[in-house]
Amino acid sequence: MRTIGVIGLGNMGRGMALSLRRRGFTVMGYDPAPAAREASAADGIVIAEGPSALWRDCEAVVLSLPNPEVVDAVLLGPDGPLHGAKSGLLIVDTSTSDPAVTRRIAAALEPAGIDLIDAPVSGGPKGAHAATLTMVIGGSDRAVALAEPVLAAMSATRVHVGGVGAGHVTKLANNLLCAAHLITAAEAVRMAKDAGVDPERLLAGINAGSGRSGVTQVNFPTWVLNGAFDSGFTMKLMRKDVRLAESLIGALDLDLPLSAQVGRLWRDSVEVAPDDADFNAIVKLQLA
């Protein structure tokens, strides 16, 4: 694989495209937004006129898209790979999406000899630009092995968790935990602060014990306690991920009361943390 396409050149997709280019791949990109196309072109990414050129000219295409509806439209719409792609094309969906949608699309592409793997990412725009992302990957052993050089060019940690859709299930579980941890950590900080304990010293103690999490180790010191709130990931995107997790829980007919409460708090916090705010702003429910 020498020519890789990237569809979706926002904060994440643009960083991944640049990481691929640094590793020696020829990279073609497309985004419907003129500003995203112009920024990537200025960075040396070849911009295609549309997705059709990527299906035709690339051995693999990476998707970095905002939601399952857009993924579905790009892959199964009139300009999708079923209309012009060669057999053997590999599609890597790094979006956080609905596993049921992913499995349906994969089944539709398979008869045409097109492989889809889901490889949603953690690490934010900084990780995308530095190629230090973490990927949880769903797909066949053969397709994941074929994709390894492409995945390795964009990430530092890769965990193959199962068949197609398993990556998206795992990512939704991860983000549901992160969404919950932000709320519980904020409540713990509020309790300790009101009891006279400095938040930074509190976190040092928690991070030395069993209550630690990625939120207490990374989010609070990096984006919360200093008031930065500039992770590059928005409340709108995390609300979407929590909603997808709730949808999966519902489809499985599970009664998960704490997850239901987390979902409600994220939905009802718009006045405190609007959609365009940094996702860590959910802590303002307790710390504002």
Side-chain angles (χ1 to χ4, degrees), residues 1 67 72 92 113 138 199 202 231 254:
M1 293 188 185
N67 56 54
D72 186 271
V92 178
L202 168 75
S231 71
L254 296 174

Side-chain angles (χ1 to χ4, degrees), residues 163-187:
V164 172
H168 283 142
V169 172
T170 304
K171 182 62 189 302
L172 294 181
N174 179 85
N175 282 18
L176 178 61
L177 283 170
C178 182
H181 291 168
L182 279 164
I183 293 170
T184 55
E187 292 185 354

Side-chain angles (χ1 to χ4, degrees), residues 1 4-5 7 16 60-64 75 90-95 115-120 135 137 143 147 150-151 154:
M1 293 188 185
I4 311 299
I7 298 179
M16 288 187 279
V61 177
V62 176
L63 307 182
S64 181
L75 293 182
L90 175 66
I91 298 174
V92 178
D93 183 14
T94 69
S95 320
D115 281 311
L116 173 65
I117 69 172
D118 46 309
M135 291 180 163
I137 304 163
V150 176
L151 304 179
M154 300 184 291

Side-chain angles (χ1 to χ4, degrees), residues 5-6 14 39 55 62 64 69 90 93 110 138 141 154 166 173 187 194 209 225 250 252 261 264 277 282 284:
V6 178
R14 180 181 168 201
W55 312 134
V62 176
S64 181
E69 293 76 20
L90 175 66
D93 183 14
E110 185 179 12
D141 290 344
M154 300 184 291
E187 292 185 354
D194 285 8
L225 294 185
L252 296 170
Q261 177 71 344
R264 184 188 67 77
I282 190 71
K284 293 180 181 179

Side-chain angles (χ1 to χ4, degrees), residues 36 58 176 226:
C58 298
L176 178 61
N226 58 7

Side-chain angles (χ1 to χ4, degrees), residues 63 68 71-77 81-82 89-93 97-119 138-140 142-144 162-168:
L63 307 182
V71 173
D72 186 271
V74 167
L75 293 182
L76 297 184
L82 290 174
L89 177 68
L90 175 66
I91 298 174
V92 178
D93 183 14
S97 191
D98 183 331
V101 172
T102 301
R103 289 165 176 155
R104 175 171 54 80
I105 294 172
L109 297 177
E110 185 179 12
I114 300 169
D115 281 311
L116 173 65
I117 69 172
D118 46 309
S140 69
R142 180 191 59 80
V144 173
V164 172
H168 283 142

